[in-house]
Amino acid sequence: MTDPTLRLPAKTFRAVLDLGPLPVGGPPLPARFVHPEFDVELLEDGGAEIAAFYLEFADGQLHLEVSNDRLEHHFHGAAGEHADASPWSDEDTDALLAWATIHIAHVLPILPELLDNIDEAAEWCDIGLPVYARDYEPVPLEIVEVEVEGDLLMLPWLGAGQVDHEHLDGPDEPIALLWSPNDEPADVPIAKAWLDLGTGHPASAAEPGIDWTAVGLPESEVLAWFEGFYLNHQVIADPADLIRVAAMKRIAGFDS
């Protein structure tokens, strides 16, 4: 049902974005913090909007949350586990926090509109356009370029009833395939797919005791279909995520 060779080609997508005046001033990032990942998202907490910033390095992570003039931070280890204290020296930690505070102050005023523009840019990418640009006031603009992997071409669900999926807990990012024999919401787990951390490819397994005749497809076809679904939705990065991270790296100067 799913031929892994039937992939749309990868493509280059460019987004013209207002990232504020660059470069950002302030203290430099210490040289020992090399090749970091820098990301941000807006969260809702009891009706309050929180900007969450993530800095990830090979040997640890710094997470910061900003809301209502309040800045909090905490640390994680190299594998993402929560850490009670910084994984770095006091001097390096202070320098990292000083750098992060300057960049957060730069990003916060432009963040809501920037994220809206990034979502719109991703929609343009999804419909096949190579460049996103909207009307801006006369401000400095940046061209952010990303490489977008092509989706696996898949048939829709051809079995009986309805299917859905839900995310499960686990380091290999598992998801469950849910099935319903009729038009009711799918709620019966019939298979699980996850990322094989050794190969980087999806793997899958059926749940025991499934009546595949009722499902309307053989077990092997369901698993092949679900692995394709996993590849498209869990492995291939969403264009909005790619553009957002690339924009944050441009602001931070990590892509130079």
Side-chain angles (χ1 to χ4, degrees):
M1 285 192 55
T2 303
D3 184 345
T5 65
L6 297 178
R7 295 268 306 265
L8 292 171
K11 62 182 178 182
T12 299
F13 183 79
R14 296 175 178 87
V16 181
L17 300 171
D18 178 6
L19 303 182
L22 298 180
V24 178
L29 188 66
R32 58 103 54 235
F33 295 112
V34 295
H35 306 302
E37 293 295 325
F38 185 26
D39 201 359
V40 63
E41 64 177 335
L42 284 176
L43 306 173
E44 291 288 337
D45 183 13
E49 199 169 67
I50 298 174
F53 292 82
Y54 309 99
L55 279 159
E56 181 176 342
F57 306 89
D59 54 355
Q61 302 175 18
L62 169 64
H63 293 184
L64 304 103
E65 294 185 352
V66 187
S67 66
N68 299 327
D69 299 324
R70 177 173 54 88
L71 174 62
E72 297 181 349
H73 69 271
H74 62 273
F75 302 97
H76 293 259
E81 71 279 10
H82 182 77
D84 293 329
S86 171
W88 308 291
S89 70
D90 289 346
E91 181 180 1
D92 284 339
T93 300
D94 290 344
L96 177 59
L97 287 170
W99 180 92
T101 301
I102 293 293
H103 281 74
I104 287 173
H106 176 91
V107 172
L108 276 177
I110 64 173
L111 184 58
E113 183 176 7
L114 176 59
L115 293 181
D116 286 344
N117 291 340
I118 287 172
D119 287 341
E120 188 175 52
E123 292 174 4
W124 288 35
C125 179
D126 286 339
I127 64 175
L129 297 176
V131 177
Y132 167 81
R134 50 157 287 239
D135 291 333
Y136 290 95
E137 297 296 327
V139 293
L141 298 172
E142 297 286 330
I143 300 175
V144 174
E145 183 176 288
V146 295
E147 292 296 318
V148 182
E149 288 189 68
D151 281 346
L152 181 68
L153 296 177
M154 294 180 58
L155 293 171
W157 174 254
L158 298 179
Q162 306 292 324
V163 290
D164 200 350
H165 71 283
E166 67 175 357
H167 293 265
L168 307 173
D169 293 330
D172 49 1
E173 302 178 17
I175 64 174
L177 179 62
L178 307 178
W179 174 75
S180 168
N182 46 45
D183 291 334
E184 297 297 320
D187 59 0
V188 178
I190 62 172
K192 184 171 73 171
W194 63 92
L195 183 66
D196 186 317
L197 300 179
T199 66
H201 298 299
S204 64
E207 297 292 345
I210 301 301
D211 182 352
W212 296 105
T213 300
V215 170
L217 289 173
E219 175 184 335
S220 59
E221 292 190 16
V222 170
L223 294 183
W225 183 87
F226 196 35
E227 287 183 12
F229 178 92
Y230 189 97
L231 178 72
N232 282 350
H233 292 268
Q234 297 292 116
V235 178
I236 297 176
D238 181 80
D241 293 338
L242 293 172
I243 299 166
R244 186 184 65 255
V245 170
M248 290 301 103
K249 287 186 174 182
R250 175 66 56 81
I251 290 172
F254 295 158
D255 64 345
S256 60

